[in-house]
Amino acid sequence: MLPNRDNTQCPANGFYTYDAFIQAANFFPGFGTGSSTDELNKRELAAFFGQTSHETTGGTRGAADQFQWGYCFKEEINKATSPPYYGRGPIQLTGQANYQQAGDAIGEDLVNDPDLVSSDAVVSFKTAIWFWMTAQSPKPSCHDVILGNWTPSSADAAAGRVPGYGAITNIINGAKDCGVGQNAANVDRIGYYKRYCDMLGVVPAALLMN
């Protein structure tokens, strides 16, 4: 799934491991196992890796191997967003509030030691899965959206927010990637998602939002 995660061209070379992912996933029992159907559970994993691969991509847009470069980075390149709480890990956890909440949830002091997210692979994956599993009002959790457990409010419906992969993009980075029509970032997110759905043998959920 991640053929370049150990590529020496990637700053995260050697950081993200299967064992670290499994250990982190076990900390959140509902992750990838919350549905009674294998199809939905696999679709959740495809969606998670689709979004996080985009967040950490080292691929070149338009290249034949564009969607094979997920997990190339473990921290924001220019470190300009909310220092010292700039983006780190698979979901690019950003901002002191997120570091505080994620740290509280996984039992780590990420406010005083934010570098744990880019130095400990288990902690790094835990923060990404925490974000995925946790609703932050008024937004639902990515987990509930992909499993079909979220019912849009009238305001959501009026804004074009409907269940599917597009709603997850809205949760993660809606301020930049949604409401602007098709753009390169969304093409990247969708391309990764489709690749993982194909690998896991499931049909992608609804992809787009207005």
Side-chain angles (χ1 to χ4, degrees), residues 30-68:
F31 175 69
T33 63
S35 171
S36 60
T37 71
D38 287 342
E39 181 177 10
L40 279 178
N41 289 328
K42 289 179 179 179
R43 189 178 291 143
E44 176 172 24
L45 292 173
F48 174 82
F49 279 102
Q51 294 286 354
T52 53
S53 290
H54 167 76
E55 295 294 327
T56 57
T57 189
T60 300
R61 287 171 179 166
D65 64 349
Q66 176 178 349
F67 308 122
Q68 297 180 23

Side-chain angles (χ1 to χ4, degrees), residues 31-148:
F31 175 69
T33 63
S35 171
S36 60
T37 71
D38 287 342
E39 181 177 10
L40 279 178
N41 289 328
K42 289 179 179 179
R43 189 178 291 143
E44 176 172 24
L45 292 173
F48 174 82
F49 279 102
Q51 294 286 354
T52 53
S53 290
H54 167 76
E55 295 294 327
T56 57
T57 189
T60 300
R61 287 171 179 166
D65 64 349
Q66 176 178 349
F67 308 122
Q68 297 180 23
W69 286 86
Y71 287 72
C72 192
F73 290 90
K74 60 180 181 176
E75 57 187 10
E76 189 176 320
I77 297 172
N78 59 20
K79 302 178 176 57
T81 310
S82 301
Y85 305 108
Y86 53 80
R88 294 178 176 89
I91 205 73
Q92 291 292 281
L93 190 74
T94 305
Q96 184 172 349
N98 277 325
Y99 276 76
Q100 179 73 62
Q101 293 176 59
D104 290 346
I106 67 174
E108 301 285 353
D109 185 1
L110 301 183
V111 170
N112 288 311
D113 192 3
D115 284 331
L116 268 178
V117 183
S118 55
S119 62
D120 185 315
V122 174
V123 170
S124 194
F125 273 118
K126 280 183 177 180
T127 63
I129 299 173
W130 164 81
F131 185 93
W132 186 266
M133 299 292 291
T134 305
Q136 297 189 44
S137 184
K139 296 179 180 180
S141 71
C142 302
H143 172 75
D144 281 339
V145 169
I146 200 64
L147 293 189

Side-chain angles (χ1 to χ4, degrees), residues 155-197:
D156 289 322
R161 293 187 287 267
V162 297
Y165 189 71
I168 294 173
T169 296
N170 186 271
I171 292 169
I172 294 172
N173 202 29
K176 291 184 178 180
D177 291 354
C178 294
V180 292
Q182 182 171 310
N183 57 72
N186 279 328
V187 168
D188 199 60
R189 292 181 192 275
I190 291 169
Y192 271 115
Y193 176 49
K194 286 183 173 179
R195 177 173 181 266
Y196 297 132
C197 281

